[in-house]
Amino acid sequence: MPRQSILIEACVSSAADAAAAVEAGAHRIELCAALEVGGLTPSIGLIQRVSAAVSVPVMVMIRPRVGDFTPSDDEFVTMLADIAAAKRAGAAGVVFGLLTPNGEVDAPRTKLIVDAAEGLQTVFNRAIDFTPNPVAAATKLADLSVTRVLTSGGATTALEGAATIRQMAKQTADHLEILPGGGVRAANIASILEATGCRQLHLGPGIAEQGPILLNGPALTDTTTLSSGAHRKLDAAAFDKAIRTASSLAPDSNPKPTR
């Protein structure tokens, strides 16, 4: 009996990397911006370019900000708009993660995402690894008609979480695809496949590339916020204070913004 084929999904953030991954043999692309912070929604221009340039399905990350997976109402509306835009730009699927404040799958919002993405594949991202019971969460996502779940089995890496991934696959067989991801490399692929029983893998091994201009420049990243797992938002009180201070320096001026 011939061996069952193994599907490889490449996680990339540029058209060049997407082309290189497909040239190397990737069967599917997950397209993100800002992989350094776990991936955010890429630009429409990038989605259009990658979707037109590669011959494999492109899954587009829908994540409006860094931090947790509990977007505000405004952020959720943005996610729905981004799904519609990604569909028009040629995406074959969307990747998202929605949790309640207590860490469970946000079923009502997930259903709205699935409905909004009609005609596209829907992939629940590694937000599932932050739930208290990834197996139960996977079952819920299967009931919500999600196409696939990307998971490390609630562990740091897919190899460490392999037993849970295998249980997730068994529990949702024929109703939900389970895609192991997290620390997947050539050295452990065979072990992950054997331990999980899955026949598809998600990986995006990366290297740091330092641009020459910023090498000795000022810091452009709020590393304190990012390292804590929080997300940045406007400090309205501080902004108001700055506006009042600026206004006090020129009380009679009324600048008009350019259009």
Side-chain angles (χ1 to χ4, degrees):
M1 179 181 297
R3 292 184 179 180
Q4 185 180 356
S5 61
I6 299 166
L7 186 148
I8 299 295
E9 177 179 278
C11 182
V12 303
S13 60
S14 72
D17 285 352
V22 173
E23 177 68 20
H27 306 97
R28 189 169 62 218
I29 294 293
E30 180 189 273
L31 182 63
C32 309
L35 284 174
E36 299 82 2
V37 293
L40 299 176
T41 308
S43 72
I44 295 304
L46 181 59
I47 299 170
Q48 290 174 331
R49 182 169 183 185
V50 173
S51 297
V54 301
S55 57
V56 301
V58 177
M59 307 292 121
V60 172
M61 177 66 76
I62 304 295
R63 187 181 177 209
R65 60 160 171 79
V66 299
D68 60 22
F69 299 97
T70 56
S72 67
D73 289 343
D74 283 344
E75 289 166 342
F76 184 69
V77 170
T78 297
M79 292 175 70
L80 295 175
D82 284 340
I83 289 171
K87 185 185 295 188
R88 292 192 297 269
V94 293
V95 185
F96 67 100
L98 293 165
L99 301 180
T100 63
N102 65 354
E104 301 287 353
V105 169
D106 189 334
R109 280 179 160 185
T110 296
K111 178 64 163 58
L112 290 173
I113 291 286
V114 171
D115 290 345
E118 183 179 6
L120 302 180
Q121 297 179 42
T122 50
V123 186
F124 201 87
N125 63 24
R126 287 187 61 192
I128 195 170
D129 295 323
F130 294 87
T131 63
N133 187 337
V135 177
T139 301
K140 181 180 292 187
L141 292 169
D143 291 340
L144 292 166
S145 299
V146 169
T147 306
R148 184 180 312 116
V149 169
L150 170 64
T151 181
S152 61
T156 302
T157 69
L159 186 58
E160 293 171 331
T164 298
I165 295 173
R166 190 178 191 92
Q167 191 176 357
M168 293 166 74
K170 181 179 180 180
Q171 189 75 19
T172 61
D174 302 324
H175 299 289
L176 179 72
E177 295 179 26
I178 304 298
L179 174 61
V184 178
R185 298 293 184 268
N188 60 23
I189 282 178
S191 297
I192 293 171
L193 292 173
E194 181 179 2
T196 64
C198 296
R199 304 303 291 178
Q200 57 178 312
L201 293 170
H202 170 99
L203 63 152
I207 56 174
E209 184 175 35
Q210 176 66 60
I213 295 177
L214 297 180
L215 187 60
N216 297 310
L220 299 179
T221 303
D222 185 351
T223 54
T224 301
T225 298
L226 293 179
S227 65
S228 69
H231 66 278
R232 192 181 188 278
K233 61 182 294 184
L234 180 70
D235 184 335
F239 188 80
D240 179 69
K241 183 177 180 180
I243 289 291
R244 286 187 282 107
T245 299
S247 297
S248 70
L249 299 176
D252 297 327
S253 66
N254 185 24
K256 302 292 184 183
T258 58
R259 294 185 179 275

